[in-house]
């Protein structure tokens, strides 16, 4: 299924008008097989801003945790925390985002056990592009 991905530039207080202008694809007018995804920052933990984006009509709310929790202070901006990123994703889902997703980078010094802890409890969606046997190899 094709995805139109938009990088939502983080602002301190984006208005609903600004957010809706980033998603010109209404559910009615766009092809039903195309999903709209927004890759967001964490809005410095401002969950009201997360709500605005989650309720904007997009299909996929994406926010990357970037790395395992233990390496977050070394890899990400010091103001971003792993737990804050998880709260953003949980809140987006609670506020109605159909699909939430995140990504982590590998190869920045994480251990196998740290990867397993990061994946533990996460819902992992497999598709022909994301083979279940590869994911199973991490457990």
């Amino acid at each position: 299924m094709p995805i139109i991905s938009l990088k939502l530039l983080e602002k301190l207080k984006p208005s609903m008008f600004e957010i809706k202008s980033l998603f010109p694809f209404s559910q009615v007018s766009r092809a039903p097989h195309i999903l709209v995804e927004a890759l967001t920052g964490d809005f410095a933990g401002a969950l009201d801003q997360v709500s605005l984006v989650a309720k904007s009509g997009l299909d996929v709310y994406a926010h990357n945790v970037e790395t395992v929790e233990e390496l977050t202070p070394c890899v990400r901006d010091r103001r971003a925390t792993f737990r804050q990123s998880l709260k953003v994703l949980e809140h987006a889902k609670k506020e109605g985002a159909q699909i939430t997703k995140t990504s982590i980078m590998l190869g920045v010094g994480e251990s196998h056990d740290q990867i397993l802890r990061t994946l533990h409890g996460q819902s992992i969606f497999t598709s022909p592009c994301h083979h279940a046997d590869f994911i199973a190899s991490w457990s």
Side-chain angles (χ1 to χ4, degrees), residues 4-11 14-26 30 35-40 43 49 52-53 56-59:
I4 296 172
S5 186
L6 304 168
K7 171 67 172 140
L8 183 61
L9 299 176
E10 190 164 337
K11 297 173 86 175
S15 69
M16 182 54 93
F17 174 79
E18 291 169 315
I19 290 169
K20 284 191 179 227
S21 71
L22 292 172
F23 301 101
F25 312 100
S26 74
R30 67 185 160 128
L35 299 178
V36 175
E37 172 183 313
L39 175 60
T40 72
F43 297 107
Q49 302 304 303
L52 285 175
V53 178
S56 69
L58 57 85
D59 299 297

Side-chain angles (χ1 to χ4, degrees), residues 114-130:
Q114 288 171 325
I115 294 168
L116 288 178
R117 280 194 304 275
T118 301
L119 294 177
H120 178 71
Q122 301 296 315
S123 297
I124 299 174
F125 172 75
T126 59
S127 70
C129 297
H130 304 93

Side-chain angles (χ1 to χ4, degrees), residues 16-84:
M16 182 54 93
F17 174 79
E18 291 169 315
I19 290 169
K20 284 191 179 227
S21 71
L22 292 172
F23 301 101
F25 312 100
S26 74
Q27 297 290 347
V28 175
S29 66
R30 67 185 160 128
H33 67 283
I34 296 176
L35 299 178
V36 175
E37 172 183 313
L39 175 60
T40 72
D42 65 8
F43 297 107
L47 297 181
D48 59 325
Q49 302 304 303
V50 174
S51 295
L52 285 175
V53 178
K55 294 177 179 179
S56 69
L58 57 85
D59 299 297
V60 181
Y61 189 108
H63 173 67
N64 294 335
V65 295
E66 305 294 0
T67 189
V68 298
E69 185 169 15
E70 296 87 344
L71 295 178
T72 298
C74 303
V75 174
R76 296 180 72 190
D77 183 293
R78 64 179 173 77
R79 295 169 292 182
T81 69
F82 186 86
R83 297 284 170 183
Q84 183 167 283

